[in-house]
Amino acid sequence: MSEKFVRQKLEPPEHAKKVLLHSCCAPCCGELMEAMLASGIDFTVFFYNPNIYPRQEYDIRKNENRRYAEKLNVPFVDADYDALNWLARVKGLESAGERSARCSICFDMRFERTALYAHEHDFKVITSSLGMSRWKDRDQVNSCGTRAASRYENMVFWTYNWRKYGGSARMVEIAKREGFYQQKYCGCVYSLRNANVRENYGHYT
Ligand code: SF4
């Protein structure tokens, strides 16, 4: 007989009263949202992903995430789609693969904007769903997040491993239950190119 799942009670760093959650997409973010709600954490979802190409894909991912935030009654911030600046920042690294230096620049840009918003709106703790996917290097995500948070006094990037204690399995369950759109590539035009040449790829998350 399977035991009833009991969630861990999460405590943000520094006993922070509220958290700014950078979200990359609904499938990765769903488990983080449910985990924070279950722990009574006051959080806001911040959607800033100028890496996503094309615009139609960006709108699908954003609207899916917004819909779920509205369902859970969680504040959702829709930040800019400054795709041209993103392309300028990764210039010269078009041929790099995933987990490469291009991805560090991509994370840096998204987290710098997240940290700026946090600074302007009195959040002391930021975190992200970016480390949730098995395709991502958690250390790479955490070091970029920590670097962005360090730009502001007393700001912390919460490096909690959202995959553990069954988090990865629940991510999949929530995505199925909610019927989330399942992207087949990380997001940028270069990852789309790589996905197109990869045979038999499945869902990305
Ligand atoms: S592969 Fe993903 S993380 Fe890397 S640069 Fe492209 S969108 Fe960003």
Side-chain angles (χ1 to χ4, degrees):
M1 190 171 69
S2 64
E3 289 181 24
K4 188 172 181 307
F5 169 65
V6 180
R7 278 194 181 275
Q8 296 256 319
K9 170 88 174 149
L10 300 177
E11 182 65 52
E14 312 296 331
H15 306 291
K17 294 280 179 270
K18 56 180 192 170
V19 173
L20 187 62
L21 165 59
H22 169 269
S23 172
C24 56
C25 60
C28 286
C29 196
E31 162 62 10
L32 277 73
M33 292 170 73
E34 295 201 2
M36 286 207 228
L37 279 176
S39 289
I41 296 170
D42 177 7
F43 68 100
T44 292
V45 173
F46 187 73
F47 195 91
Y48 178 67
N49 299 295
N51 53 307
I52 301 173
Y53 176 90
R55 177 67 193 237
Q56 185 185 23
E57 175 84 9
Y58 170 81
D59 286 335
I60 290 170
R61 295 189 194 187
K62 180 176 75 177
N63 291 333
E64 187 83 301
N65 206 162
R66 188 208 306 273
R67 178 180 68 76
Y68 195 52
E70 286 172 356
K71 179 177 177 179
L72 298 183
N73 209 20
V74 170
F76 180 90
V77 177
D78 176 2
D80 293 344
Y81 181 58
D82 47 356
L84 291 179
N85 281 329
W86 185 88
L87 284 166
R89 275 186 80 152
V90 303
K91 195 166 171 43
L93 293 167
E94 294 84 352
S95 324
E98 290 194 34
R99 301 180 172 215
S100 67
R102 189 187 66 224
C103 301
S104 292
I105 293 171
C106 177
F107 297 155
D108 282 343
M109 183 170 174
R110 292 146 93 185
F111 292 153
E112 284 165 15
R113 185 60 174 274
T114 306
L116 174 62
Y117 185 92
H119 173 66
E120 291 173 342
H121 294 83
D122 203 27
F123 288 86
K124 294 294 180 205
V125 172
I126 61 174
T127 192
S128 176
S129 59
L130 268 170
M132 192 57 169
S133 167
R134 63 195 165 95
W135 296 92
K136 297 287 186 301
D137 176 347
R138 283 191 60 250
D139 290 339
Q140 186 180 22
V141 170
N142 286 339
S143 89
C144 293
T146 301
R147 185 160 53 243
S150 72
R151 293 172 151 225
Y152 303 98
E153 198 175 351
N154 299 326
M155 189 178 291
V156 175
F157 183 81
W158 190 6
T159 58
Y160 184 77
N161 182 357
W162 303 96
R163 297 181 201 168
K164 68 179 183 179
Y165 302 122
S168 294
R170 281 194 303 283
M171 174 188 78
V172 174
E173 279 168 25
I174 293 167
K176 276 191 190 154
R177 186 190 72 209
E178 299 297 327
F180 287 150
Y181 167 73
Q182 295 285 319
Q183 58 260 27
K184 291 183 168 57
Y185 60 102
C186 184
C188 66
V189 63
Y190 312 117
S191 61
L192 173 59
R193 171 200 60 201
N194 293 345
N196 282 338
V197 295
R198 203 161 55 212
E199 283 187 18
N200 301 319
Y201 58 85
H203 295 321
Y204 185 76
T205 49

Coordinates of all heavy atoms in Angstrom, one line a residue, residues 113-143:
R113 N 17.6 40.6 -14.8 CA 16.3 41.3 -14.9 C 15.5 40.9 -13.7 O 14.8 41.8 -13.1 CB 15.6 41.0 -16.2 CG 14.4 41.7 -16.4 CD 14.6 43.3 -16.4 NE 13.4 44.0 -16.7 CZ 13.0 44.2 -18.0 NH1 13.8 43.8 -19.0 NH2 11.9 44.8 -18.2
T114 N 15.5 39.6 -13.3 CA 14.7 39.2 -12.1 C 15.2 39.9 -10.9 O 14.4 40.4 -10.1 CB 14.9 37.7 -12.0 OG1 14.5 37.0 -13.2 CG2 14.0 37.1 -10.8
A115 N 16.5 40.0 -10.7 CA 17.1 40.6 -9.5 C 16.8 42.1 -9.5 O 16.5 42.7 -8.4 CB 18.6 40.4 -9.5
L116 N 16.8 42.7 -10.7 CA 16.4 44.2 -10.7 C 15.0 44.4 -10.3 O 14.7 45.3 -9.4 CB 16.6 44.7 -12.1 CG 16.2 46.1 -12.4 CD1 16.9 47.1 -11.5 CD2 16.3 46.5 -13.8
Y117 N 14.1 43.5 -10.8 CA 12.7 43.7 -10.4 C 12.5 43.4 -8.9 O 11.8 44.1 -8.2 CB 11.8 42.7 -11.2 CG 10.4 42.9 -10.9 CD1 9.6 43.7 -11.7 CD2 9.7 42.2 -9.8 CE1 8.2 43.9 -11.4 CE2 8.4 42.4 -9.5 CZ 7.6 43.2 -10.3 OH 6.3 43.4 -10.1
A118 N 13.3 42.4 -8.4 CA 13.2 42.1 -7.0 C 13.7 43.3 -6.1 O 13.1 43.7 -5.1 CB 14.1 40.9 -6.7
H119 N 14.8 43.9 -6.6 CA 15.3 45.1 -5.9 C 14.3 46.2 -5.9 O 14.1 46.9 -4.8 CB 16.6 45.5 -6.6 CG 17.2 46.8 -6.1 ND1 17.7 46.9 -4.8 CD2 17.3 48.0 -6.7 CE1 18.2 48.1 -4.6 NE2 17.9 48.8 -5.7
E120 N 13.6 46.4 -7.0 CA 12.7 47.5 -7.1 C 11.4 47.3 -6.3 O 10.6 48.2 -6.1 CB 12.4 47.8 -8.6 CG 13.6 48.4 -9.3 CD 13.3 48.5 -10.8 OE1 12.4 47.8 -11.3 OE2 14.1 49.2 -11.5
H121 N 11.1 46.0 -6.0 CA 9.8 45.7 -5.4 C 10.0 45.0 -4.1 O 9.1 44.3 -3.6 CB 9.0 44.8 -6.4 CG 8.6 45.6 -7.6 ND1 9.4 45.7 -8.7 CD2 7.5 46.3 -7.9 CE1 8.8 46.4 -9.6 NE2 7.6 46.8 -9.1
D122 N 11.2 45.2 -3.5 CA 11.4 44.8 -2.1 C 11.4 43.3 -1.8 O 10.9 42.8 -0.8 CB 10.4 45.5 -1.2 CG 10.9 45.6 0.3 OD1 12.2 45.6 0.4 OD2 10.1 45.6 1.2
F123 N 11.8 42.5 -2.8 CA 12.0 41.1 -2.6 C 13.5 40.9 -2.2 O 14.4 41.4 -2.9 CB 11.7 40.3 -3.9 CG 10.3 40.2 -4.3 CD1 9.7 41.2 -5.1 CD2 9.5 39.1 -3.9 CE1 8.4 41.1 -5.5 CE2 8.2 39.0 -4.4 CZ 7.6 40.0 -5.1
K124 N 13.7 40.1 -1.2 CA 15.1 39.8 -0.8 C 15.6 38.4 -1.3 O 16.8 38.1 -1.2 CB 15.2 39.8 0.7 CG 15.0 41.2 1.3 CD 16.1 42.2 0.9 CE 15.9 43.6 1.4 NZ 16.6 44.6 0.6
V125 N 14.6 37.6 -1.7 CA 15.0 36.2 -2.2 C 14.4 36.0 -3.6 O 13.2 36.3 -3.8 CB 14.4 35.2 -1.2 CG1 14.6 33.8 -1.8 CG2 15.1 35.3 0.1
I126 N 15.2 35.5 -4.5 CA 14.8 35.1 -5.8 C 15.1 33.7 -6.0 O 16.1 33.1 -5.4 CB 15.4 36.0 -6.9 CG1 16.9 35.9 -6.9 CG2 15.0 37.5 -6.8 CD1 17.6 36.6 -8.1
T127 N 14.4 33.0 -6.9 CA 14.7 31.7 -7.3 C 14.2 31.4 -8.7 O 13.7 32.4 -9.3 CB 14.2 30.6 -6.2 OG1 14.8 29.3 -6.5 CG2 12.7 30.5 -6.3
S128 N 14.4 30.2 -9.2 CA 14.0 30.0 -10.6 C 13.6 28.5 -10.8 O 14.1 27.6 -10.1 CB 15.1 30.3 -11.5 OG 14.8 30.0 -12.8
S129 N 12.7 28.3 -11.8 CA 12.4 27.0 -12.2 C 13.4 26.4 -13.2 O 13.3 25.3 -13.7 CB 11.0 27.0 -12.9 OG 11.0 27.9 -14.0
L130 N 14.4 27.2 -13.6 CA 15.3 26.8 -14.6 C 16.1 25.5 -14.3 O 16.5 24.8 -15.1 CB 16.3 27.9 -15.0 CG 15.8 28.8 -16.1 CD1 16.7 30.1 -16.2 CD2 15.8 28.1 -17.4
G131 N 16.3 25.3 -13.0 CA 17.1 24.1 -12.6 C 16.2 22.9 -12.5 O 16.7 21.8 -12.2
M132 N 15.0 23.0 -12.8 CA 14.1 21.9 -12.6 C 14.2 20.8 -13.7 O 14.1 19.6 -13.5 CB 12.6 22.4 -12.6 CG 11.6 21.4 -12.2 SD 12.0 20.8 -10.6 CE 10.5 19.9 -10.2
S133 N 14.5 21.3 -14.9 CA 14.6 20.3 -16.0 C 15.9 19.5 -15.9 O 17.0 20.0 -15.6 CB 14.6 21.1 -17.4 OG 15.0 20.2 -18.4
R134 N 15.8 18.2 -16.3 CA 16.9 17.3 -16.3 C 17.9 17.7 -17.3 O 19.1 17.3 -17.4 CB 16.5 15.9 -16.5 CG 15.8 15.6 -17.8 CD 15.1 14.3 -17.8 NE 14.2 14.2 -18.9 CZ 14.5 13.7 -20.1 NH1 15.7 13.1 -20.3 NH2 13.6 13.6 -21.1
W135 N 17.5 18.6 -18.3 CA 18.5 19.0 -19.3 C 19.4 20.1 -18.8 O 20.4 20.4 -19.5 CB 17.7 19.5 -20.5 CG 16.8 18.5 -21.2 CD1 15.5 18.2 -20.9 CD2 17.2 17.6 -22.2 NE1 15.1 17.2 -21.7 CE2 16.1 16.8 -22.5 CE3 18.4 17.4 -22.9 CZ2 16.1 15.8 -23.5 CZ3 18.4 16.4 -23.9 CH2 17.3 15.6 -24.2
K136 N 19.1 20.7 -17.7 CA 19.9 21.8 -17.2 C 20.9 21.3 -16.2 O 20.7 20.4 -15.5 CB 19.0 22.8 -16.5 CG 18.0 23.5 -17.4 CD 18.6 24.5 -18.4 CE 17.6 25.2 -19.2 NZ 16.8 24.4 -20.0
D137 N 22.0 22.1 -16.1 CA 23.1 21.9 -15.1 C 22.7 22.8 -13.9 O 22.8 24.0 -14.0 CB 24.4 22.3 -15.8 CG 25.6 22.2 -14.8 OD1 25.3 22.1 -13.6 OD2 26.7 22.3 -15.2
R138 N 22.3 22.2 -12.8 CA 21.9 23.0 -11.7 C 23.0 23.9 -11.2 O 22.7 25.0 -10.7 CB 21.4 22.0 -10.5 CG 20.1 21.4 -10.8 CD 19.5 20.7 -9.5 NE 19.4 21.7 -8.4 CZ 20.2 21.7 -7.3 NH1 21.1 20.8 -7.2 NH2 20.1 22.6 -6.4
D139 N 24.2 23.4 -11.2 CA 25.3 24.3 -10.7 C 25.5 25.5 -11.6 O 25.7 26.6 -11.1 CB 26.7 23.5 -10.7 CG 26.7 22.4 -9.6 OD1 25.9 22.5 -8.7 OD2 27.5 21.4 -9.8
Q140 N 25.3 25.3 -12.9 CA 25.4 26.5 -13.8 C 24.2 27.5 -13.5 O 24.5 28.7 -13.4 CB 25.3 26.0 -15.2 CG 25.5 27.0 -16.3 CD 25.4 26.5 -17.7 OE1 24.8 25.4 -17.9 NE2 26.0 27.1 -18.7
V141 N 23.0 26.9 -13.3 CA 21.9 27.8 -13.0 C 22.1 28.5 -11.7 O 22.0 29.7 -11.6 CB 20.6 27.0 -12.9 CG1 19.4 27.8 -12.3 CG2 20.2 26.4 -14.3
N142 N 22.6 27.8 -10.7 CA 22.8 28.4 -9.3 C 23.9 29.4 -9.3 O 23.8 30.5 -8.7 CB 23.1 27.3 -8.3 CG 21.8 26.5 -8.0 OD1 20.7 26.9 -8.2 ND2 22.1 25.3 -7.4
S143 N 24.9 29.2 -10.1 CA 26.0 30.2 -10.0 C 25.6 31.4 -10.8 O 25.9 32.6 -10.3 CB 27.3 29.6 -10.6 OG 27.4 29.8 -11.9

